[in-house]
Amino acid sequence: MSKKIAVLPGDGIGQEIVAEAVKVLDCLCDEFGLPIEMESGLIGGAAYDEHATPLPAETIALSKDSDAILLGAVGGYKWESLDISVRPEKGLLGIRAELELFSNLRPAILYPQLAAASTLREDVVSGLDLMIVRELTGGIYFGQPRGIRTLESGEREGFNTLVYAEYEIERIGRSAFEIAMKRDRRLTSVDKANVLESTELWREVMERVSKDYPEVELSHMYVDNAAMQLVRDPKQFDVMVTTNMFGDILSDCAAMLTGSIGMLPSASLDLNGKGMYEPIHGSAPDIAGQNIANPLATILSLSMMLRYSLDESSMAERIEHAVNQVLDSGLRTRDIYADGMQEVSCSQMGDAVVKAILSEQL
Ligand code: IPM
Ligand code: MG
């Protein structure tokens, strides 16, 4: 029976990069019999323009009714002055919450072909393969109370709440330990337990969960040190697990180790492994519509989807081999361009991946 994918391109470069991932998916369906149906939906600013909400009920229904979701990106200058409750980002946060996609996997892998594109020395980053597991439906992103209030003095104050219930820490902990079991069995839990009670509890629960995973070596690190260690010696890490906001920040940092944020895919999973897949970069309004964005993070997100949600790891391998082959051949979008390489557009990069898939001998 064929499986259904909800395709939500969103805003900005989201439209361009998702179009390239869809080309790849079409190729796998037409040429290799992958049994997939796709249906598109609106999210973010694009949804706001049509329905005055960044997350229409139809998009929630479509996503719930699908086996997996492919998302581009949300946001852009056009919607920046809207009230925060209807800004494009609320669409993304809303769908994460609606589907309880609490476990966000953000792998940072350095493709050897791109070692020179990193701003860090080649010996620091070559061979990098780390996984950031970010809690995605709790913490300060969702904590109540929140808002901007006016004090008696007439001055305004903005406030947010960093709150984590034990069950939220426990389930993201288990998710991270399970991943560590399939890798090098080293897990670093990142917190700010020296200052924040919510992460003092985080640390305690991680210790407790670790009792069920004696083969995994658990260590703890404060987030400021983790940021420093990521750029000092990123290869010391295997799997990192952290809160929603720390994970947001550290994953951008880890992305740059790999040469470009345009290369990093992600998976956001619920308890049953149903997931939404998206590049970790945003909608990049400054380059939207110019056909110069890098579609590889989205194409690689598709391969994560095939592996994690659709049980089609051989199809995922086809994509990963093809991306390697394209990079070997010297094709580069602008963000990963280096001397001696051939610069290509977003759509040319997508075409090249399709061509490489068709020429593979697997
Ligand atoms: C991300 C993004 C989002 C986040 C924004 C767009 C709401 O930065 O997925 O990392 O902060 O989670
Ligand atoms: Mg982010």
Side-chain angles (χ1 to χ4, degrees):
M1 217 185 76
S2 81
K3 295 200 172 140
K4 183 164 159 190
I5 296 180
V7 178
L8 313 178
D11 309 317
I13 60 167
Q15 300 285 340
E16 302 156 47
I17 54 181
V18 167
E20 299 314 308
V22 167
K23 264 187 204 168
V24 170
L25 201 52
D26 277 336
C27 162
L28 293 174
C29 294
D30 298 347
E31 304 294 330
F32 301 95
L34 178 68
I36 293 287
E37 286 166 45
M38 290 179 251
E39 193 177 328
S40 300
L42 292 172
I43 194 165
Y48 179 83
D49 288 348
E50 290 247 333
H51 301 283
T53 163
L55 185 59
E58 327 47 311
T59 301
I60 299 176
L62 166 67
S63 303
K64 286 193 171 160
D65 180 46
S66 300
D67 297 287
I69 302 146
L70 182 68
L71 184 115
V74 299
Y77 309 130
K78 184 176 168 194
W79 305 283
E80 269 171 11
S81 57
L82 290 177
D83 185 77
I84 196 166
S85 61
V86 288
R87 264 191 229 150
E89 290 75 7
K90 276 284 176 208
L92 180 56
L93 298 177
I95 194 143
R96 288 174 179 169
E98 279 284 343
L99 301 178
E100 276 211 67
L101 305 170
F102 68 94
S103 178
N104 183 212
L105 316 185
R106 298 192 159 190
I109 295 171
L110 181 86
Y111 282 81
Q113 303 93 325
L114 299 183
S118 175
T119 47
L120 271 80
R121 276 203 327 265
E122 229 172 295
D123 61 301
V124 175
V125 290
S126 66
L128 178 79
D129 177 357
L130 83 90
M131 175 72 91
I132 296 185
V133 181
R134 169 188 178 195
E135 198 291 324
L136 202 61
T137 51
I140 200 164
Y141 271 53
F142 293 92
Q144 294 290 346
R146 62 189 297 155
I148 299 175
R149 62 191 162 210
T150 305
L151 303 174
E152 266 171 33
S153 65
E155 206 197 6
R156 291 186 309 154
E157 100 183 340
F159 57 102
N160 291 88
T161 304
L162 171 53
V163 55
Y164 269 114
E166 274 187 289
Y167 81 92
E168 292 177 292
I169 307 173
E170 174 150 357
R171 68 182 179 181
I172 192 67
R174 289 199 183 278
S175 191
F177 276 102
E178 291 292 336
I179 287 162
M181 285 293 288
K182 296 193 190 120
R183 296 175 44 110
D184 203 27
R185 303 187 173 187
R186 288 180 297 115
L187 177 63
T188 309
S189 170
V190 177
D191 62 37
K192 189 75 186 171
N194 51 342
V195 178
L196 305 171
E197 288 83 351
S198 47
T199 68
E200 195 186 334
L201 181 66
W202 176 280
R203 190 176 279 220
E204 197 188 303
V205 174
M206 287 295 162
E207 277 296 326
R208 195 171 74 211
V209 174
S210 79
K211 304 273 184 293
D212 293 340
Y213 299 88
E215 298 99 323
V216 177
E217 184 195 311
L218 172 69
S219 58
H220 304 277
M221 199 177 268
Y222 296 138
V223 63
D224 47 351
N225 186 23
M228 179 177 78
Q229 297 298 335
L230 263 181
V231 288
R232 192 186 74 85
D233 175 21
K235 284 187 278 181
Q236 69 184 282
F237 298 111
D238 176 28
V239 181
M240 299 172 101
V241 61
T242 191
T243 63
N244 203 340
M245 185 157 74
F246 295 162
D248 179 44
I249 299 165
L250 293 179
S251 61
D252 269 30
C253 182
M256 267 329 281
L257 306 173
T258 71
S260 168
I261 197 165
M263 292 297 298
L264 254 70
S266 79
S268 307
L269 305 173
D270 74 3
L271 266 179
N272 306 314
K274 172 164 173 168
M276 181 164 87
Y277 296 80
E278 55 178 310
I280 82 150
H281 59 70
S283 58
D286 54 326
I287 59 163
Q290 297 177 39
N291 195 20
I292 58 171
N294 185 348
L296 292 179
T298 316
I299 291 172
L300 292 167
S301 298
L302 184 60
S303 90
M304 284 188 92
M305 173 193 289
L306 292 163
R307 212 183 274 290
Y308 287 87
S309 287
L310 302 179
D311 204 17
E312 293 280 1
S313 49
S314 67
M315 295 286 175
E317 264 164 40
R318 287 183 194 279
I319 296 180
E320 288 150 17
H321 278 138
V323 168
N324 258 304
Q325 208 178 309
V326 167
L327 293 174
D328 279 342
S329 72
L331 301 189
R332 300 283 186 272
T333 43
R334 190 170 295 179
D335 56 310
I336 48 174
Y337 180 77
D339 278 350
M341 299 293 137
Q342 188 190 338
E343 188 172 325
V344 292
S345 67
C346 177
S347 54
Q348 285 169 331
M349 186 56 107
D351 291 341
V353 173
V354 167
K355 198 165 151 219
I357 291 175
L358 292 173
S359 71
E360 268 166 8
Q361 313 285 329
L362 287 180

